[in-house]
Amino acid sequence: MLLIDALLQELDIFGVKQLFGIPGDFVLPLFEQLQQRNHLPLYYLSHEPSVVFAADAAARISNKPAVVILTYGAGALNAVNAVAQAYVEHVPLLVIAGFPSQGEIARGLQIHHQARTVDSQRDIYREITAARFRLDNPDTAGSDIRAALTVVEQQSRPVLLEIPRDALSFNTSAAGPYLPEPIAADKIELAVAALTGRLQEAKKPVILAGVDVRRFEAVTELEALATKLNIPFICTLMGRASFNQHHPLFGGIFLDKSDIRPAKLLSEADLILQIGVIKTDSNFAAHSELFPAEKVLCLEQQQLALKPLLAALLAAPLAAFQPPVMPALPSVATEQQLSATSLVQGLERILTARHDTVPLISDIGDCLFASLHANPSLMLAPAFYASMGYAVPAAFGVQAATGLRPVVLVGDGAFLMTGLELGHCARYGFAPIIIVFNNQRWDMIDAFAPGLNCTGLDNWQYAELARSMGGHGMQVSNLADFDEALSLALSSNRRFSLIEVMLPAGSRTARLNNFAEGFKAAAKSNLTPC
């Protein structure tokens, strides 16, 4: 079969439902054949980081591999930062990049878009992908596509698949039936025996769960284990919205010591089961005393598959612990004046009163810390790598993958990076709701380096910009007007809505201030992550 048909067949096997890309000369033959087949919807944006963010969001929200198509060199290398974020945050992404034909290489000339060598693209991607494949052999192209997607699924990380310009004329053989990786039953048995021993010795265990529990579809098993054994569980910021936050044993989200209930559970525990946790400085550097080695046991997908391991532990003959006394939740006052916090409190109140599912996407900055005042069932945010500009293009990926209209929280600084992608909404009939936190500054930078004089962002009119792109642009400066604007946006699904919230100076959340101070103190003390 033709290579394009082998590729589409494999994408079907691995559950890929949409494609994202930016056309460029080395991938134009691929785009033409995809358009002719019309097998999967193909979404275009304007800039390579944005289109990767969109594919990344589709993968995160669906928990399935997503595909992004970029041209050789100039396209793929422009996407490096966004792919790096997907790599460290464990997002299953197939990056299809163009590559010169053998005839072009044989001329011995420097090829446009080429960096140091013709292989520089692959060499650079070596640092940010789990594997790299080049379809330059018709005899192995079909099996190489299968191998690439297998790594994407099994490791939940990006993989580079280079397709030379002339490879679209290849006839290749499809790979055989797909067989998932076999379960290592003997290793699981040994691990369960060791875990059982540690649990039998414990008096007050607690589970700290991370995003990999969701990435590798082990949420049901983890919650069932907590229920059976009466073990409270908390989650990291990256794992947020992966778990049932109304579960009686859910102890909250741990970001830092200001999260009083999770911090108390961790400090009083004699055994901390870290399950599927990506251990980052964001969560651990300033709080290493909560995680002494003698009471921490790490369960990671890279060592042993989480889903069958937790299922086997669930079946083990373990006695339940005494029902834990959950620390009281601190009361949170509803702020009456306009601020990032009161804005999200109002958003949560309005969305909770509805009966539909509204995905929430937060960019990096004060909006991320303010978003802790919402409890969405679907939530995306690059909470570790923290690349600004994620949220707006992520809205495309979420609506493409789910059909649901997301609400986006984004600061004015991050919006300036990718906000113009909203001009593509009309092309696809998408209607996200964008809430721009306009405090006329890079607030995250100001929190970490208040002495810098480069943080001002004056004279941008975001509501007017939204109207010029065919959206509904509104500017508000008080909570009553915000409630009205949000209700109007929720009732209007024919075009995107942008609510520009004019935040008063100095309204930064206490959470961001506390996080910045703790992070800076940890850096000065040379503390290392747990």
Side-chain angles (χ1 to χ4, degrees), residues 150-270:
T150 298
V151 176
V152 171
E153 179 168 86
Q154 291 181 353
Q155 297 191 28
S156 191
R157 275 186 157 150
V159 168
L160 175 67
L161 184 66
E162 293 180 320
I163 301 183
R165 193 200 298 267
D166 57 347
L168 274 300
S169 63
F170 287 174
N171 277 292
T172 189
S173 299
Y178 175 61
L179 299 174
E181 187 177 24
I183 295 172
D186 54 341
K187 293 182 179 179
I188 286 178
E189 185 178 349
L190 290 172
V192 168
L195 287 166
T196 298
R198 290 292 299 270
L199 285 166
Q200 288 173 337
E201 295 171 358
K203 301 297 183 185
K204 295 186 70 175
V206 66
I207 294 171
L208 176 61
V211 71
D212 273 357
V213 178
R214 181 177 187 274
R215 295 275 196 268
F216 296 98
E217 300 182 329
V219 172
T220 299
E221 288 77 8
L222 184 142
E223 292 182 354
L225 181 67
T227 301
K228 176 185 175 181
L229 300 181
N230 280 329
I231 300 177
F233 65 98
I234 61 183
C235 69
T236 63
L237 183 61
M238 281 189 65
R240 180 183 178 193
S242 296
F243 309 98
N244 177 11
Q245 298 187 34
H246 299 291
H247 193 290
L249 291 168
F250 181 68
I253 301 164
F254 174 71
L255 176 61
D256 56 39
K257 289 179 183 176
S258 61
D259 299 304
I260 295 175
R261 175 189 270 185
K264 186 173 178 61
L265 286 169
L266 289 168
S267 65
E268 294 180 351
D270 59 358

Side-chain angles (χ1 to χ4, degrees), residues 80 83-95 121-133 144 147-161 216 302:
V80 162
V83 177
Q85 178 165 272
Y87 180 81
V88 297
E89 298 201 355
H90 299 184
V91 180
L93 195 64
L94 182 66
V95 181
Q121 173 176 271
R122 182 171 61 183
D123 293 341
I124 291 168
Y125 266 73
R126 193 179 308 279
E127 294 296 317
I128 56 170
T129 54
R132 293 141 303 279
F133 297 85
D144 285 343
L149 281 160
T150 298
V151 176
V152 171
E153 179 168 86
Q154 291 181 353
Q155 297 191 28
S156 191
R157 275 186 157 150
V159 168
L160 175 67
L161 184 66
F216 296 98
Q302 292 78 9

Side-chain angles (χ1 to χ4, degrees), residues 286-357:
H287 314 288
S288 60
E289 72 278 6
L290 291 175
F291 304 98
E294 65 272 12
K295 74 174 188 179
V296 173
L297 194 58
C298 297
L299 307 183
E300 299 176 348
Q301 176 74 20
Q302 292 78 9
Q303 298 170 347
L304 207 55
L306 293 176
K307 185 178 180 71
L309 175 59
L310 293 178
L313 189 59
L314 186 60
L318 281 164
F321 294 90
Q322 290 295 318
V325 178
M326 301 292 279
L329 284 172
S331 59
V332 179
T334 301
E335 295 190 10
Q336 302 301 318
Q337 300 299 316
L338 180 64
S339 67
T341 296
S342 63
L343 187 70
V344 175
Q345 288 175 332
L347 172 69
E348 172 71 2
R349 174 176 46 78
I350 291 173
L351 294 184
T352 300
R354 296 169 61 90
H355 301 291
D356 54 346
T357 299

Side-chain angles (χ1 to χ4, degrees), residues 460-522:
W460 293 88
Q461 304 296 323
Y462 301 105
E464 289 185 19
L465 185 60
R467 291 191 285 270
S468 73
M469 292 188 287
H472 183 201
M474 298 167 279
Q475 186 183 89
V476 302
S477 55
N478 60 65
L479 290 174
D481 287 349
F482 172 72
D483 286 0
E484 183 179 348
L486 180 59
S487 297
L488 183 61
L490 287 166
S491 66
S492 175
N493 61 6
R494 294 185 178 275
R495 55 178 176 164
F496 79 86
S497 296
L498 185 147
I499 306 171
E500 180 185 8
V501 183
M502 304 304 296
L503 291 172
S507 63
R508 186 164 61 228
T509 62
R511 288 305 303 266
L512 174 53
N513 287 330
N514 292 340
F515 178 81
E517 290 305 315
F519 198 91
K520 289 187 289 185

Side-chain angles (χ1 to χ4, degrees), residues 255 278-287 384 515 519 522 527-529:
L255 176 61
I278 301 174
K279 292 185 282 293
T280 74
D281 57 355
S282 304
N283 279 107
F284 295 95
H287 314 288
F384 164 40
F515 178 81
F519 198 91
L527 292 176
T528 56

